Amino acid sequence: MVSRVIPVDPFDLVIFGGTGDLAQRKILPALFRRFCAGQWAEGAQLIGAARTSYDSVSFRKVVRESLLKFAAKQCKNGPALEAFLQRIDYVALDGSSKDGWAQLADKLKPERVRAFYFSVGPNLFGPLAERIEAHDLISPLTRIVVEKPFGHDLASAQALNATLAAHFSEKQIYRIDHYLGKETVQNLMAVRFGNMLFEPLWNSQYVDHIQITVAESVGIDGREEYYERAGAMRDMMQNHLMQLLCLIAMEPPAKFDPDSVRDEKLKVIRALDPVEPHHIVRGQFEDEDTGYRQIVGNPRSTTESYVALKAHVSNWRWAGTPFYLRTGKRLVARSSVINVMFKDAPHSIFGADAGRHANVLSIRLQPNEGITLKVTIKEPGPGGMRLVDVPLDMSFAEALGPENQDPPDAYERLVMDVIRGNQTLFMRGDEVEAAWAWTDPVIAGWQARGDVPKPYDSGSTGPGDAELLMKRDGRRWQGINP
Ligand code: NAD
């Protein structure tokens, strides 16, 4: 089954911060793959813009090196690489001064979709937005893309929203949470709203609880300064885990259009109860010589590299079904998975020791994107009625054939959605603010209590208290498996 590739309209895509890590490692390889797939229309071009004084030839050299390192194999070994590089231009430009803007203006064509990707720190969002407007670069087809972190708390997120709103309408602003671009996340919506099977069971009557785990095996290398100010709550929980929770918990939108979907997500965030202090566990990884505190160079650091919490969505559908969320660095494996834990059947006709368990729907985001439903069947053979749990595996690679072994990277989908003008998978300003409004009191609470994160071993599943959080409720976390 080969998916159809529909070329997007011709575009000028300007990447501010085009020489940076994110652009070179993620955005450019993603765009290259879309180019190889034939999605770029004739004449579409990409313009890197950053402070380094490259010209287009020297910038292309840098991009070539990055693509050879980070791009998909089947693409970079073909003739497409040279053709792609010919579509790339560069302008040396300082986002906070006048230099370079006239040259950039000369390269843009009025009739094309015009996207400005702010792949720079949030301190430059305001200066860039001002200069884009001052140089008369906002056409009817202009969009801007901004990266996380979108604010450090509610006040700073509101300030960022106000800064952008002074120059662009909400319809022109694309706030990226790359988790929303993952194939499985979109599939979660397809599974929920495209089938009759799950939706009638998707409520507190049939779902015992939901677990959302985003475990990383890597630490914070290279991001020490940022991370020490942010911690797991701000870096992951407020955005990625919150977005996953919204997609799991939201009501079916009337249509699959940006505002219908985002209205429903917003209702979920607004229905979240404040988190009780004893429903939060914070942790910090330890290691013989490269523990968290050594890495950040602060022996008294109280920043969490792990957080687990129990959340409640107070509405008719979910009252009584807890959502357990956890995320951390330097854990036993890299694994992002949502487990929908169904209730047990009300009565076992096979007896208590027949070996059956409740159904679990696992939605794996990484690695090996796919969906598995654990069901109970009879153990094969003549040995009486013994039951086993087996997975019904909807691994996308297997289900969709060999050409889908390598699903598109989230950035491929998201950047093409920007060009298409589809905001469904991007966060709206009010959503981000609502997420901070829920997060801020959690952080203020532990700061007021002088809470110190619990140590956990590098390579473990996190602090023991996170197990207790579940155990107290008579539940257990599912394993963190690679
Ligand atoms: P980086 O430091 O590697 O790159 C920053 C880029 O901005 C460089 O190209 C630099 O030349 C440019 N720049 C800096 N000041 C400038 C100015 N005054 N005018 C014009 N250009 C200027 O940073 P990064 O890792 O690429 O991250 C960029 C943004 O994306 C940050 O806000 C970061 O938090 C966010 N982000 C990064 C990642 C990642 O994986 N790297 C992931 C998610 C979000």
Side-chain angles (χ1 to χ4, degrees):
M1 196 188 303
V2 183
S3 58
R4 270 182 315 142
V5 173
I6 303 168
V8 293
D9 290 338
F11 60 84
D12 290 332
L13 170 61
V14 180
I15 308 182
F16 295 112
T19 59
D21 175 70
L22 178 70
Q24 296 290 320
R25 212 164 37 83
K26 287 296 206 183
I27 307 169
L28 283 153
L31 282 160
F32 178 39
R33 199 160 145 177
R34 288 297 91 210
F35 177 83
C36 294
Q39 207 159 17
W40 282 42
E42 200 54 45
Q45 65 162 345
L46 187 155
I47 303 166
R51 278 184 305 190
T52 318
S53 58
Y54 290 129
D55 56 17
S56 59
V57 175
S58 45
F59 183 60
R60 283 176 195 157
K61 269 193 195 147
V62 173
V63 176
R64 170 200 282 273
E65 289 305 307
S66 297
L67 293 179
L68 290 174
K69 233 196 268 150
F70 301 117
K73 266 196 242 94
Q74 67 273 32
C75 201
K76 69 187 174 195
N77 295 335
L81 181 55
E82 293 313 316
F84 178 68
L85 292 172
Q86 292 311 311
R87 302 282 196 100
I88 294 183
D89 208 338
Y90 184 80
V91 180
L93 166 153
D94 191 326
S96 47
S97 84
K98 286 189 298 195
D99 304 339
W101 288 91
Q103 289 92 310
L104 176 62
D106 282 347
K107 292 180 189 290
L108 303 175
K109 308 271 182 305
E111 69 285 0
R112 295 190 189 163
V113 170
R114 184 176 295 175
F116 295 108
Y117 199 127
F118 291 14
S119 182
V120 292
N123 58 319
L124 278 177
F125 291 0
L128 285 174
E130 263 169 41
R131 279 162 186 77
I132 289 172
E133 185 164 25
H135 288 85
D136 210 10
L137 301 184
I138 307 181
S139 68
L141 291 177
T142 292
R143 285 132 212 187
I144 62 159
V145 187
V146 294
E147 270 291 340
K148 83 164 209 185
F150 198 87
H152 183 75
D153 53 17
L154 177 58
S156 54
Q158 284 170 330
L160 271 183
N161 274 336
T163 301
L164 296 180
H167 306 281
F168 303 99
S169 74
E170 183 61 35
K171 292 256 178 284
Q172 292 177 303
I173 304 172
Y174 290 69
R175 295 174 194 79
I176 283 212
D177 184 322
H178 72 272
Y179 267 59
L180 293 181
K182 287 182 181 291
E183 197 66 11
T184 324
V185 170
Q186 295 158 60
N187 237 307
L188 166 60
M189 287 192 269
V191 166
R192 273 196 69 188
F193 305 130
N195 296 288
M196 191 57 202
L197 194 59
F198 296 107
E199 203 49 27
L201 305 180
W202 211 260
N203 56 53
S204 59
Q205 198 182 341
Y206 297 103
V207 177
D208 178 72
H209 72 282
I210 288 170
Q211 302 184 9
I212 303 180
T213 298
V214 176
E216 294 179 284
S217 51
V218 294
I220 53 162
D221 305 350
R223 304 168 66 214
E224 294 84 354
E225 204 187 315
Y226 156 75
Y227 200 89
E228 177 64 355
R229 275 183 288 118
M233 189 74 191
R234 289 189 172 97
D235 185 47
M236 300 294 289
M237 188 68 81
Q238 182 272 346
N239 39 69
H240 302 321
L241 281 90
M242 175 70 71
Q243 288 295 321
L244 299 180
L245 185 152
C246 286
L247 294 174
I248 282 282
M250 73 184 192
E251 295 300 315
K255 287 189 203 144
F256 191 60
D257 66 26
D259 280 333
S260 304
V261 171
R262 297 184 303 175
D263 285 346
E264 295 305 335
K265 282 162 59 195
L266 180 62
K267 284 185 206 161
V268 173
I269 305 177
R270 289 190 173 153
L272 280 169
D273 285 346
V275 185
E276 302 278 342
H278 59 285
H279 290 163
I280 305 165
V281 176
R282 295 199 308 141
Q284 206 177 55
F285 63 81
E286 280 192 333
D287 205 316
E288 266 177 22
D289 46 20
T290 55
Y292 180 86
R293 290 179 173 189
Q294 287 87 346
I295 290 173
V296 297
N298 177 5
R300 289 167 191 275
S301 168
T302 57
T303 300
E304 76 285 354
S305 58
Y306 176 102
V307 64
L309 55 83
K310 178 162 121 173
H312 288 283
V313 180
S314 275
N315 61 19
W316 274 46
R317 186 187 282 264
W318 292 118
T321 294
F323 289 71
Y324 298 91
L325 280 56
R326 64 177 167 169
T327 180
K329 301 280 183 197
R330 288 268 197 102
L331 295 177
V332 59
R334 171 175 176 258
S335 167
S336 297
V337 57
I338 304 168
N339 287 304
V340 181
M341 314 291 293
F342 288 93
K343 288 186 176 170
D344 213 342
H347 166 68
S348 172
I349 63 167
F350 306 109
D353 56 355
R356 56 177 302 284
H357 296 103
N359 301 119
V360 181
L361 182 71
S362 296
I363 300 134
R364 287 189 313 277
L365 279 78
Q366 61 190 25
N368 312 324
E369 291 197 43
I371 298 182
T372 307
L373 178 64
K374 205 167 81 179
V375 292
T376 300
I377 60 164
K378 179 191 169 298
E379 196 175 285
M385 195 62 168
R386 283 196 302 271
L387 304 180
V388 286
D389 291 330
V390 291
L392 278 182
D393 206 332
M394 295 174 261
S395 158
F396 301 141
E398 277 173 33
L400 302 179
E403 65 280 8
N404 286 290
Q405 290 292 336
D406 200 5
D409 181 76
Y411 279 95
E412 291 179 49
R413 166 74 192 234
L414 294 175
V415 180
M416 288 298 112
D417 276 359
V418 173
I419 306 298
R420 287 187 203 100
N422 185 345
Q423 290 183 304
T424 310
L425 300 175
F426 296 83
M427 295 179 296
R428 212 167 51 192
D430 51 2
E431 252 186 279
V432 179
E433 289 184 15
W436 279 119
W438 177 79
T439 307
D440 277 4
V442 176
I443 295 173
W446 74 52
Q447 284 173 344
R449 292 192 299 278
D451 177 88
V452 176
K454 302 281 187 300
Y456 64 92
D457 288 338
S458 232
S460 71
T461 57
D465 282 20
E467 303 298 330
L468 285 179
L469 176 74
M470 282 284 199
K471 211 170 169 183
R472 282 201 301 261
D473 295 344
R475 300 180 173 116
R476 288 176 51 199
W477 290 107
Q478 296 283 291
I480 299 179
N481 303 312

